[in-house]
Amino acid sequence: MKPRVLQYGRLMPSLEKQLAEAFDLHRLVDEADPSAFLAQRGAEFVGLATAGFADAALIAACPKLKVISSFGVGVDKIDLKAAAERGIPVGNTPDVLNDCVADLAIGLMIDVARGIGASERYLRAGSWPKGAYPLQRRMSGKKLGILGLGRIGHAIAKRALAFDMDIRYHNRRAVADTSIAHEPSLVELARWCDFLVVISAGGAGTKHLVNEEVLNALGPEGFLINVARGSVVDEPALVRALQDKRLGGAGLDVFENEPQVPAELMALDNVVLVPHIGSATVETRAAMAQRVFDNLKSYFSTGKLISQA
Ligand code: 8YV
């Protein structure tokens, strides 16, 4: 008998197909009243496939649940405590997205410093014949601060070295086996660096770590890049800092209330805004989908996940 798996939310069509072939899959999105369905039939499911979401209520609604497999590395919207209390392992998709997220971080750094997007808007608006675009900022050889030196942080550092950047990082605790200097104070890191890249985990433990004080320390010639979670940055404080020109600019892939982006941010020219595309390439999304499948397959055949959050 195929294990009964609940699919929460939509997944890539190719992944949904693969899951439906291997498991007795049920898509919660097809239910007119998902809560009533779960109340009645939640006990049927032993597996849950999701794209980053599983709160305590959803976990409780599936009393026989044995495993969760999530699309994405971030598990900040999965109640890990509720899962752990029931001994339910949570699978995620680390490593396969490191390169693409790191590529995007570097892309945002170059764009915000050099004004690629902003100067293209200038050109398309027909402004070039009226005068040259104002001089922007150099990235090569500058100072990079990384908030959250994990797997993706290391991939960003590796790329930044090719731009002759001087690199330091802030984590709560220093990381072993790295030659990159640890800065115990995030404010001091922000004061030191020209570019502060946020690539820490999301969730309660990192909420609003990048606050007004950090943004002021980064200063009018500093750039903030966020490819982690919107929750790590105090967004209203960021908007005010950008509007007051207390911060040089920002490159943002993530926002506090996605897919809503504050109109105040959209009105600014010294920001580069992209819609959470860090892992959004054909190659990386295929690898993430495969890991979601492999985690479930592995759990049901060996009792172990390939990658556990
Ligand atoms: C998302 C991400 O998973 O991996 C993560 O944590 O933020 C992204 O790769 C992606 O947007 C799909 O939900």
Side-chain angles (χ1 to χ4, degrees):
M1 241 180 56
K2 292 176 178 174
R4 184 97 167 117
V5 171
L6 179 71
Q7 180 190 323
Y8 182 89
R10 289 183 192 283
L11 298 170
M12 286 169 64
S14 55
L15 173 58
E16 291 195 5
K17 189 164 170 281
Q18 206 179 4
L19 291 171
E21 277 162 14
F23 304 106
D24 179 9
L25 188 74
H26 191 90
R27 302 189 341 158
L28 194 59
V29 286
D30 294 332
E31 293 302 323
D33 187 345
S35 309
F37 172 83
L38 282 178
Q40 225 178 10
R41 298 181 49 190
E44 289 174 13
F45 300 101
V46 290
L48 175 68
T50 178
F53 178 87
D55 64 3
L58 178 60
I59 294 169
C62 303
K64 302 246 171 72
L65 194 64
K66 288 191 163 66
V67 62
I68 297 173
S69 180
S70 183
F71 185 92
V73 66
V75 288
D76 46 303
K77 295 224 166 70
I78 295 182
D79 196 325
L80 294 177
K81 196 164 157 271
E85 276 165 6
R86 298 242 320 264
I88 301 169
V90 177
N92 64 343
T93 66
D95 295 319
V96 295
L97 43 59
N98 295 352
D99 286 339
C100 277
V101 179
D103 290 353
L104 185 74
I106 297 291
L108 289 172
M109 285 163 67
I110 300 177
D111 194 344
V112 75
R114 299 295 308 273
I116 299 175
S119 66
E120 195 205 0
R121 289 193 289 278
Y122 179 85
L123 179 153
R124 284 179 190 265
S127 305
W128 192 4
K130 293 176 220 151
Y133 192 71
L135 299 184
Q136 300 295 300
R137 290 283 169 177
R138 176 186 180 120
M139 182 179 104
S140 286
K142 291 287 179 70
K143 296 183 185 123
L144 169 63
I146 297 176
L147 171 54
L149 188 69
R151 290 173 283 230
I152 304 173
H154 275 107
I156 294 169
K158 183 176 159 191
R159 286 157 175 73
L161 286 175
F163 288 88
D164 298 322
M165 297 188 89
D166 194 0
I167 311 169
R168 295 181 189 175
Y169 75 96
H170 172 77
N171 283 24
R172 237 166 311 191
R173 276 178 294 278
V175 172
D177 297 330
T178 180
S179 55
I180 304 170
H182 178 240
E183 170 52 70
S185 155
L186 176 56
V187 174
E188 287 313 315
L189 182 70
R191 214 184 305 286
W192 171 80
C193 70
D194 303 295
F195 294 82
L196 180 63
V197 175
V198 181
I199 187 57
S200 60
T206 56
K207 190 168 162 66
H208 289 188
L209 269 186
V210 177
N211 55 20
E212 186 125 34
E213 192 188 3
V214 172
L215 295 168
N216 285 340
L218 193 52
E221 288 177 11
F223 298 108
L224 178 77
I225 307 297
N226 190 359
V227 287
R229 284 292 181 265
S231 60
V232 187
V233 176
D234 180 342
E235 205 165 74
L238 173 64
V239 168
R240 288 192 303 272
L242 287 162
Q243 285 172 333
D244 300 350
K245 303 231 169 5
R246 282 180 282 117
L247 181 67
L252 307 172
D253 182 41
V254 289
F255 304 87
E256 280 208 84
N257 188 26
E258 294 173 11
Q260 306 307 322
V261 176
E264 295 92 332
L265 274 180
M266 296 214 221
L268 292 165
D269 225 27
N270 57 341
V271 292
V272 180
L273 307 169
V274 291
H276 202 145
I277 57 168
S279 67
T281 63
V282 172
E283 297 87 346
T284 287
R285 287 288 168 86
M288 291 165 69
Q290 190 60 45
R291 181 61 62 84
V292 171
F293 180 81
D294 290 345
N295 267 336
L296 279 178
K297 223 30 208 162
S298 166
Y299 181 82
F300 286 118
S301 53
T302 69
K304 286 205 172 65
L305 292 164
I306 293 169
S307 42
Q308 186 170 342

